[in-house]
Amino acid sequence: MSVLRVAPRTAVVLALASAAALATFTWPFFIPAHPESTARTGEAPLVFLVMLPVLVALVLAELSSGGIDSKALAMLGVLAAVNAALRPLGAGTAGIETVFFLLVLAGRVFGPGFGFLLGSTSLFASALLTAGVGPWLPFQMLCASWVGLGAGLLPARLRGRAEVAVLAGYGAFAAYGYGLLMNLWFWPFSLGADTQLSYVAGAPVLDNLHRFAVFTAVTSTFGWDTGRAITTAVAVVLAGPAVLAALRRAARRAAFDAPVTFAAPAPQPAPSAATPVPGAPVAASGDVTGPAVGVAPSARRGLDEQSATAEEGGQGGGSHQAPQRPAD
Amino acid sequence: MTEHRDGVDAAAADPERGPRHWSAARLPRGLHPGAWWLWALGLATAASHTTNPLLLALLVAVAALTVLRRRTDAPWALAFRMYLVLGAVIIAMRVVFRIVFGGGQGEHLLVSLPEIPLPEWAAGIRLFGPVAVEQVLGGFYDGLRLATMLVCLGAANALANPKRLLKAVPGALYAVGTAVVVALSVAPQLVESVLRVRRARRLRGATGRGMRALRGIALPVLADALDRSLALAAAMDSRGYGRTAAVPAGQRAATGALVLGGLVGVCAGTYGLLDSTGSGYLGLPMLLAGLVVAVTGMLLAGRRVRRSRYRPDRWRSAELLVAGCGIAAAALTLLAGSVAPELLYPPVSPLTWPEVTPLMLLAVAAAAGPAWLAPPPPGSPSTRAPTAGTPVNAVAAPTRTGDPATSVPGGHP
């Protein structure tokens, strides 16, 4: 399913912006020795540092230009909060990275557009909470967004063990890719201009690629990135099925796909204001006030699967019937 | 209305602070976050145009001084130390990489380490070898410049309230901004949720540890958070979220075309920038024009969103002063660069002692303005106490920035 519809125009904007954004990572490979177009070689990194935040903002605005459904937006905010809370758990311990696990699973369940937004909002919220805003943030946001987008684009038909296996493999791949791109971004800044591992403006692409490969292998691939890939894959395998079930249950309860129709008011007593499930209009027979409102018949199975875990946590399995606190 | 009430409060609370109009301007209040960011970006711009270590150290000292005098107790304000440590790490990394992978250029040999040639797959690269003063100093200057820019951004982080900044995002980013605000508000509730689930587990005598306990806690917390999101959505619906203004189809098509055309321009400009054979017009001008067109389209698309603001931040004289200080610092540094570029980029070979000109000192003085010009932060009367001691700090700081991690002892207001 896809919570956020990606219109063709949005897809084109996304592709164009991603292509331009990729250049802000890979410019050391291609930058000419004496660019006529820029006054000084030193300007190129600054131009890209300014350009990328604008590109990220453009894509985010375009993705949400159709208006995000309130349920999708609340889900986005809550999942971003969970991700932001998970992130510091791994910081400090070398290579334990806990962000990608939920990002991959949520992107898988809620679709590519939602995955993209979740990647950006998660890292932005996490940066604000632990105060890590800096020039690196837009680059991290974009990389994480690509990870979420890719998870949403995996083949939809897979279920069960095959799905978990594919997700674990993708998580490991994405973890390596993220590390590689962030290294590539940091490469010119961490080394400066004249060590043997620095990029050489105007050198052949393969030559620079070789230097970068050595740099990334020496600094992080075998330590940090491998740790991140293993953590993500193991977390997906261990907790994946249960988390996928929880996310799918939430998606069914929210009834994102339901067309909202308005019917003439029936002469029934008015329902209480706090109808627990906002997706109420789905109920096919117009039974708006029944106790099981909004839980489509197909969703029952999901609820039953879930009740065991929910009871274990002291939720009583009846959280969907409990009076809801008004959120502020 | 708020201003009027505040003015009365000020006159009643601080009669000794002088005439009423002055005390109203000096009221403790949060500054517009945009003003702090403009000031910090001005400082970062100034830092990016010099490698003079004395000037850079002065800029770091100014940023630290302003943070110490004008920050609040909010969590984001306490992370300034992290940026200082990060800056120190960057400097150390540059120097260490120069020593390990450096080519060994320079006349003044510091020490001669044994060379280690790497195996075939890393052909052409050797480790260690002779270490020259010029080489290490070059790395230090470059690293210090980057670290100073970082510390300036860290100052903006510590001083500007991110939640108020999110309120000022353009309409097109309103939905995403709202999602981030939701995330920031929900994150503390997760802690409460974890405590609740753990208490329920203990009441039922569940003493499982390790993986089982993690599952028993993590999954209910996740389910709780997801349920909470549905309740939140219902609350947002009932308060009128998602109301959009009617925008004619023609205008929507025009904004779409602006965004698309701008992005095509950005792609072409980037290609022109990186292409060695490209002609000049394809490069930077094309890229900037594309960005401007696309951003215009985005801002126009934001007209669709209708929202009201609760207590919006306004640009008053203090905000203008703070932002102006940052811009003045950047402009004065650029001016100093055009007068004497060799003093802003002191050469490492031949080795020369860096100098500071009056123009540079003027830039630093402008940068330090907000430490006194900005109104004190709300809820911290103690920040006004050490006024007498701080000018000494500003002068003494350059000698201490050699170790940035410790240059803010007693950093708590």
Side-chain angles (χ1 to χ4, degrees):
Chain A
M1 70 171 295
S2 179
V3 169
L4 203 71
R5 283 195 181 73
V6 180
R9 192 186 93 188
T10 310
V12 173
V13 167
L14 189 60
L16 280 176
S18 293
L22 208 56
T24 63
F25 288 97
T26 55
W27 61 267
F29 297 148
F30 305 112
I31 193 150
H34 299 290
E36 288 85 12
S37 43
T38 50
R40 277 171 291 173
T41 322
E43 297 289 312
L46 290 183
V47 169
F48 292 136
L49 276 187
V50 174
M51 179 173 121
L52 193 74
V54 179
L55 286 179
V56 171
L58 275 175
V59 175
L60 293 182
E62 182 66 33
L63 268 174
S64 58
S65 66
I68 304 182
D69 172 39
S70 64
K71 286 169 287 186
L73 189 113
M75 194 74 82
L76 186 62
V78 166
L79 285 177
V82 175
N83 255 340
L86 279 177
R87 195 165 174 218
L89 290 186
T93 330
I96 310 282
E97 183 72 65
T98 40
V99 177
F100 290 111
F101 148 70
L102 190 60
L103 180 59
V104 167
L105 295 179
R108 164 77 180 161
V109 171
F110 294 116
F114 188 91
F116 191 96
L117 284 182
L118 182 63
S120 288
T121 44
S122 295
L123 286 203
F124 194 69
S126 145
L128 289 185
L129 281 176
T130 49
V133 180
W136 55 82
L137 178 60
F139 293 87
Q140 288 180 329
M141 282 168 65
L142 191 69
C143 283
S145 285
W146 279 336
V147 171
L149 178 82
L153 291 176
L154 291 176
R157 291 189 163 272
L158 293 172
R159 281 292 183 274
R161 279 188 190 166
E163 183 184 29
V164 172
V166 167
L167 284 175
Y170 174 77
F173 166 76
Y176 270 119
Y178 178 90
L180 211 61
L181 277 176
M182 288 315 292
N183 271 345
L184 184 53
W185 173 74
F186 196 52
W187 182 35
F189 294 101
S190 65
L191 279 188
D194 10 294
T195 71
Q196 293 175 68
L197 290 185
S198 306
Y199 75 97
V200 177
V205 173
L206 273 181
D207 189 21
N208 271 332
L209 211 56
H210 186 204
R211 287 159 177 271
F212 172 67
V214 175
F215 168 73
T216 191
V218 166
T219 52
S220 60
T221 298
F222 296 123
W224 201 274
D225 289 353
T226 303
R228 182 191 283 141
I230 291 175
T231 321
T232 308
V234 167
V236 168
V237 167
L238 286 183
V243 173
L244 278 176
L247 291 175
R248 291 207 162 104
R249 164 176 172 271
R252 266 190 233 102
R253 285 192 60 202
F256 289 109
D257 294 332
V260 177
T261 52
F262 294 97
Q268 295 170 351
S272 67
T275 307
V277 179
V282 217
S285 58
D287 173 21
V288 185
T289 52
V293 157
V295 183
S298 66
R300 288 287 173 83
R301 191 167 41 84
L303 274 180
D304 294 341
E305 282 171 10
Q306 194 56 31
S307 61
T309 35
E311 267 164 9
E312 197 180 342
Q315 301 296 313
S319 60
H320 57 290
Q321 287 177 351
Q324 305 271 338
R325 271 167 304 157
D328 40 350
Chain B
M1 198 173 75
T2 343
E3 293 163 44
H4 174 68
R5 201 197 56 208
D6 288 350
V8 173
D9 282 353
D14 274 310
E16 81 277 13
R17 249 193 240 169
R20 176 174 293 194
H21 66 274
W22 177 240
S23 69
R26 304 286 305 161
L27 262 183
R29 69 179 175 98
L31 210 63
H32 191 295
W36 283 127
W37 274 100
L38 275 181
W39 169 78
L41 288 178
L43 257 66
T45 311
S48 74
H49 279 86
T50 178
T51 56
N52 187 332
L54 296 180
L55 180 56
L56 290 173
L58 280 173
L59 284 174
V60 170
V62 159
L65 168 73
T66 312
V67 168
L68 287 189
R69 282 183 58 85
R70 288 296 177 259
R71 71 174 166 187
T72 57
D73 293 333
W76 54 81
L78 302 177
F80 185 65
R81 196 178 293 245
M82 187 199 84
Y83 285 88
L84 289 175
V85 172
L86 205 59
V89 167
I90 284 181
I91 296 175
M93 222 167 124
R94 287 251 174 155
V95 172
V96 167
F97 268 109
R98 293 256 174 151
I99 292 174
V100 178
F101 296 107
Q105 313 90 343
E107 292 171 357
H108 301 78
L109 220 58
L110 203 61
V111 60
S112 203
L113 297 169
E115 292 188 18
I116 305 175
L118 281 189
E120 197 58 34
W121 56 269
I125 290 167
R126 58 176 175 74
L127 304 182
F128 301 108
V131 179
V133 179
E134 288 90 343
Q135 178 191 347
V136 170
L137 209 56
F140 174 72
Y141 282 5
D142 259 13
L144 184 61
R145 173 165 68 166
L146 202 61
T148 308
M149 293 167 70
L150 197 68
V151 167
C152 293
L153 293 186
N157 262 303
L159 293 167
N161 183 340
K163 288 187 181 175
R164 303 214 61 102
L165 194 64
L166 279 173
K167 279 188 171 184
V169 294
L173 287 172
Y174 169 64
V176 181
T178 310
V180 174
V181 171
V182 169
L184 292 183
S185 318
V186 167
Q189 297 177 17
L190 287 175
V191 178
E192 182 259 352
S193 184
V194 169
L195 292 180
R196 200 151 40 86
V197 171
R198 277 179 60 190
R199 196 169 58 229
R201 273 175 59 82
R202 265 210 303 278
L203 282 176
R204 272 179 273 114
T207 53
R209 285 192 180 278
M211 200 58 210
R212 283 184 60 86
L214 196 66
R215 277 180 75 112
I217 293 173
L219 285 177
V221 168
L222 181 66
D224 189 33
L226 292 173
D227 285 346
R228 182 175 286 157
S229 82
L230 290 186
L232 176 65
M236 285 167 65
D237 277 338
S238 68
R239 284 163 176 79
Y241 167 82
R243 200 173 49 134
T244 52
V247 174
Q251 197 182 332
R252 256 182 295 162
T255 55
L258 277 179
V259 171
L260 277 179
L263 277 177
V264 170
V266 168
C267 285
T270 312
Y271 180 79
L273 204 62
L274 295 180
D275 183 21
S276 49
T277 62
S279 37
Y281 72 91
L282 251 183
L284 200 56
M286 185 95 171
L287 197 155
L288 293 180
L291 278 185
V292 168
V293 169
V295 168
T296 311
M298 182 183 91
L299 293 182
L300 283 179
R303 283 194 185 173
R304 197 165 166 275
V305 175
R306 294 180 64 186
R307 55 176 172 165
S308 54
R309 283 214 179 93
Y310 174 62
R311 286 166 65 185
D313 289 319
R314 292 185 207 291
W315 282 82
R316 298 184 204 159
S317 52
E319 274 85 356
L320 294 176
L321 269 176
V322 167
C325 281
I327 293 167
L332 284 169
T333 311
L334 290 182
L335 186 65
S338 65
V339 171
E342 73 282 355
L343 289 181
L344 277 191
Y345 295 92
V348 288
S349 75
L351 287 170
T352 44
W353 185 254
E355 291 175 40
V356 177
T357 59
L359 210 51
M360 292 184 201
L361 284 181
L362 204 59
V364 171
W372 288 273
L373 294 175
S380 57
S382 63
T383 46
R384 292 195 58 81
T387 313
T390 33
V392 183
N393 249 353
V395 179
T399 57
R400 302 193 312 190
T401 41
D403 185 9
T406 56
S407 76
V408 281
H412 301 288

